[in-house]
Amino acid sequence: MLFPDEENTVQIAPEAFLLKGFLLGQSEALLQSLSNVIAANPLRHMATPNGYQMSAAMTNCGEWGWVSDEKGYRYSRRDPVTNELWQPMPIPFVQLAISAASTAGFDHFIPDACLINRYAVSAAMSLHQDKDEANFTQPIVSFSLGLPATFDFGGATRDAPKVAVYLEHGDVLVWGGQSRLNYHGVRRIKPGVHPLLGPYRYNLTFRRSQP
């Protein structure tokens, strides 16, 4: 357990929690692992099925990787850029994702996919659901590293009221159960320079994509 108490665990919706500062003290192992993954499977701006380019640069690690192009949104075993298998999920990633899920009340979480988003200043992510997975019984675990961001966590419909969550380096969001398919998004990243990651925010999202 990384928390000495529960003061840093904040419920933002039913079965959805902010774990404030959960990753602090883990930066060295996380950032070295992140660097290794990106070196093998470089970041890129994927296209949406409608032909638009996503403002966040993306890559993956794990057994499966989330990809988007003119064929649609889906999970793939291979990086479409290199045609190689995605890099295995680094052990620090797996251990911390499982620990975060357990802290939020989701035991037995075994992620098989980690989507890595790099947000430059002014990049954003519009409201969406994480619904390309075959398994909705498992939670979403989302790490925040680098520049801060405002995360909008909504409800089961796009127009449902939203909670604005301020995310800083080291924070983790976990949501599942009755909130698993809630809409969520990231507002435009404001200018800044993080001492470890420069003018970027990195978001690592862990999922169970397969049954």
Side-chain angles (χ1 to χ4, degrees):
M1 181 71 68
L2 297 182
F3 287 139
D5 51 46
E6 297 182 354
E7 291 181 3
N8 295 324
T9 302
V10 181
Q11 185 167 4
I12 61 172
E15 297 183 274
F17 299 89
L18 167 64
L19 310 183
K20 196 69 185 171
F22 191 88
L23 303 174
L24 295 180
Q26 308 293 329
S27 288
E28 184 175 353
L30 279 175
L31 297 187
Q32 184 58 58
S33 296
L34 179 62
S35 178
N36 293 342
V37 169
I38 291 172
N41 298 105
L43 292 157
R44 77 294 304 261
H45 293 273
M46 296 186 189
T48 68
N50 294 329
Y52 295 102
Q53 189 180 72
M54 295 187 175
S55 64
M58 301 178 178
T59 190
N60 294 274
C61 62
E63 295 178 52
W64 294 86
W66 185 88
V67 298
S68 173
D69 55 25
E70 70 279 359
K71 298 177 184 177
Y73 306 126
R74 63 194 182 281
Y75 281 91
S76 170
R77 282 194 175 273
R78 293 184 178 271
D79 182 339
V81 172
T82 66
N83 200 37
E84 300 290 337
L85 295 173
W86 300 105
Q87 287 293 293
M89 205 178 300
I91 291 173
F93 284 18
V94 178
Q95 290 176 335
L96 286 165
I98 291 172
S99 180
S102 178
T103 298
F106 297 98
D107 294 324
H108 314 300
F109 175 56
I110 304 295
D112 62 4
C114 172
L115 172 62
I116 299 166
N117 294 314
R118 187 190 69 185
Y119 293 82
V121 172
S122 83
M125 187 73 69
S126 61
L127 277 180
H128 65 282
Q129 296 169 296
D130 289 349
K131 60 180 182 179
D132 299 316
E133 299 74 35
N135 188 341
F136 295 146
T137 67
Q138 297 294 307
I140 302 293
V141 177
S142 176
F143 292 3
S144 287
L145 300 169
L147 290 179
T150 298
F151 181 88
D152 287 320
F153 194 76
T157 61
R158 188 179 295 276
D159 58 354
K162 298 182 290 294
V163 175
V165 183
Y166 188 68
L167 297 176
E168 298 177 284
H169 179 79
D171 291 348
V172 177
L173 281 172
V174 182
W175 67 94
Q178 56 190 308
S179 290
R180 172 61 180 76
L181 290 174
N182 283 24
Y183 280 85
H184 55 280
V186 178
R187 299 184 193 178
R188 293 190 181 280
I189 303 300
K190 295 182 179 179
V193 177
H194 188 270
L196 296 177
L197 290 165
Y200 298 108
R201 172 184 187 256
Y202 286 84
N203 170 229
L204 282 58
T205 304
F206 298 87
R207 304 164 179 171
R208 183 72 191 178
S209 70
Q210 304 303 309

